[in-house]
């Protein structure tokens, strides 16, 4: 059994840890609202842009002059995965769930003889993937010094992706991130960026089938919108990730604070029992000594 001094030190240590987890919980809660609003505001814009591109893409159905960003280059041997994770830990299984989904697809494609290259966003993604896939990593983006993720960061990544595509470094590009559903639910998903995913959801058929008149022509508009859409979709993923990270951290720190409280209670009971036993033992020794005299 631990000594009284060891129990006191343990209680003090757990109490200090509890103060830290409670503070982190409060910080995550205060930042979550703004992050959630940013993610929700970005969704309609990115969805509407996708609807417009789907409508425009119908003009190029079966044509040879369709932009490669829209229909691809006809190959599927080289893949580029953009894996968005957080810069900081202590957010439960948030990063592990995104990396797990990406890793499963990487291993599956490699087993089929495909080539996979990676662009990693966030320190935690690097820590989880570097050892196993260090030879496949093309770029690592660290935004730990950026206070508010914005379009500049997304466009920076987008420009790099477009450069790689123009150099024929990949055929298909996919983006991995966590979609924010609620504080308790962050869903890891993959989204195909290049070629543009023109498959229509049944719920969107009516919207996509609306006939628009464009000026200038569809080809010129697509040349402008497709690169812009790449930046917008990456920005949306980054904003979703920020909200998901704070939601996951809020839940994780809340659980840690509760666990610390339970541990402090258990240690306090053990300490009191040990102290009582020690006092009883000392009293017995004093009485026994007095009787011996």
């Amino acid at each position: 059994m631990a000594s009284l001094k060891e129990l006191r030190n343990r209680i003090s240590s757990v109490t200090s840890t509890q103060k830290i987890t409670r503070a982190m919980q409060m910080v995550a809660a205060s930042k979550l609202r703004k992050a959630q609003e940013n993610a929700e505001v970005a969704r309609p814009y990115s969805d509407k842009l996708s609807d417009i591109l789907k409508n425009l893409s119908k003009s190029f159905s079966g044509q040879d002059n369709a932009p490669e960003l829209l229909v691809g280059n006809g190959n599927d041997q080289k893949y580029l995965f953009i894996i968005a994770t957080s810069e900081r830990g202590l957010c439960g299984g948030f990063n592990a769930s995104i990396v797990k989904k990406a890793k499963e697809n990487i291993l599956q494609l490699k087993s089929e003889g495909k080539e996979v290259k990676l662009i990693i966003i966030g320190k935690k993604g690097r820590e989880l993937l570097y050892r196993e896939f260090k030879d496949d990593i093309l770029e690592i983006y660290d935004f730990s010094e950026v206070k508010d993720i914005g379009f500049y960061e997304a466009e920076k990544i987008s420009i790099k992706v477009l450069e790689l595509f123009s150099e024929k470094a990949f055929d298909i590009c996919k983006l991995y991130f966590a979609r924010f559903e609620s504080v308790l639910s962050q869903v890891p998903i993959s989204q195909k960026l290049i070629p543009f995913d023109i498959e229509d959801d049944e719920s969107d058929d009516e919207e996509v089938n609306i006939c628009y008149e464009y000026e200038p022509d569809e080809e010129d508009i697509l040349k402008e919108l497709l690169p812009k859409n790449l930046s917008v979709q990456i920005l949306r993923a980054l904003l979703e990730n920020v909200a998901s990270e704070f939601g996951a951290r809020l839940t994780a720190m809340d659980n840690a604070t509760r666990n610390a409280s339970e541990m402090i209670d258990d240690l306090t009971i053990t300490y009191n029992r040990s102290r009582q036993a020690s006092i009883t033992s000392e009293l017995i020794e004093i009485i026994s000594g007095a009787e011996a005299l």
Side-chain angles (χ1 to χ4, degrees):
M1 182 180 293
S3 66
L4 292 176
K5 183 178 180 181
E6 290 174 343
L7 287 171
R8 284 197 301 268
N9 291 340
R10 186 77 184 278
I11 291 172
S12 177
S13 175
V14 175
T15 302
S16 299
T17 302
Q18 185 187 43
K19 291 179 181 178
I20 295 172
T21 58
R22 184 179 287 117
M24 293 185 67
Q25 177 186 351
M26 295 174 65
V27 171
S30 65
K31 292 185 176 181
L32 175 60
R33 180 181 295 275
K34 181 180 178 181
Q36 182 178 350
E37 289 176 355
N38 290 339
E40 291 174 348
V41 166
R43 289 174 187 172
Y45 184 80
S46 62
D47 290 342
K48 190 64 177 179
L49 183 56
S50 296
D51 290 340
I52 294 174
L53 289 173
K54 287 177 182 178
N55 191 284
L56 283 167
S57 66
K58 294 182 178 181
S59 303
F60 293 90
S61 179
Q63 297 185 18
D64 297 332
N65 63 334
E68 287 192 347
L69 286 176
L70 180 68
V71 298
N73 55 19
N75 301 318
D76 64 348
Q77 285 297 120
K78 299 179 181 179
Y79 284 76
L80 175 67
F81 284 4
I82 305 173
I83 304 173
T85 59
S86 68
E87 302 292 347
R88 300 172 180 84
L90 298 177
C91 48
F94 165 70
N95 292 301
S97 62
I98 299 173
V99 170
K100 179 182 178 182
K101 185 176 182 65
K103 186 176 177 180
E104 288 175 352
N105 290 348
I106 293 171
L107 296 176
Q108 179 183 351
L109 289 171
K110 286 194 171 187
S111 68
E112 297 171 0
K114 312 288 187 181
E115 180 183 344
V116 182
K117 297 297 181 182
L118 308 177
I119 289 179
I120 299 175
I121 305 171
K123 291 180 179 178
K124 292 303 171 181
R126 180 190 182 281
E127 292 175 4
L128 293 171
L129 291 166
Y130 186 80
R131 178 177 297 180
E132 189 171 357
F133 302 105
K134 62 180 180 179
D135 295 333
D136 302 318
I137 298 175
L138 297 179
E139 196 82 25
I140 298 174
Y141 289 92
D142 181 354
F143 296 138
S144 57
E145 301 299 325
V146 179
K147 184 177 180 181
D148 295 314
I149 294 291
F151 190 76
Y152 174 79
E153 288 75 28
E155 190 174 38
K156 184 178 179 181
I157 300 169
S158 174
I159 291 172
K160 179 64 177 179
V161 172
L162 292 173
E163 288 177 357
L164 292 171
F165 188 66
S166 64
E167 296 169 0
K168 308 297 182 182
F170 67 90
D171 305 316
I172 296 175
C173 176
K174 286 188 175 183
L175 174 64
Y176 290 82
F177 63 99
R179 178 184 173 89
F180 179 82
E181 298 289 344
S182 68
V183 174
L184 299 175
S185 176
Q186 302 85 36
V187 183
I189 63 174
S190 65
Q191 178 183 356
K192 187 164 68 172
L193 297 179
I194 300 175
F196 177 72
D197 191 358
I198 59 176
E199 295 181 2
D200 297 338
D201 298 328
E202 292 182 1
S203 60
D204 296 331
D205 282 346
E206 182 178 350
E207 177 70 19
V208 174
N209 288 331
I210 296 176
C211 181
Y212 295 98
E213 292 184 3
Y214 296 99
E215 181 68 31
D217 58 27
E218 289 90 341
E219 185 173 358
D220 291 336
I221 295 176
L222 281 175
K223 286 180 180 179
E224 292 292 329
L225 282 188
L226 284 171
K228 183 70 69 178
N229 176 68
L230 186 62
S231 299
V232 169
Q233 299 304 328
I234 293 174
L235 173 61
R236 175 183 177 178
L238 294 178
L239 294 177
E240 294 277 357
N241 253 24
V242 171
S244 297
E245 177 189 349
F246 286 132
R249 182 171 291 117
L250 175 60
T251 302
M253 292 301 100
D254 180 58
N255 291 335
T257 302
R258 292 174 185 272
N259 291 339
S261 294
E262 293 177 1
M263 186 176 294
I264 290 171
D265 292 341
D266 292 341
L267 288 171
T268 301
I269 292 172
T270 303
Y271 173 79
N272 290 336
R273 287 176 177 174
S274 299
R275 185 169 177 270
Q276 184 178 8
S278 176
I279 294 172
T280 303
S281 177
E282 290 176 0
L283 287 174
I284 291 173
E285 290 178 0
I286 293 171
I287 294 171
S288 298
E291 291 179 349
L293 293 174

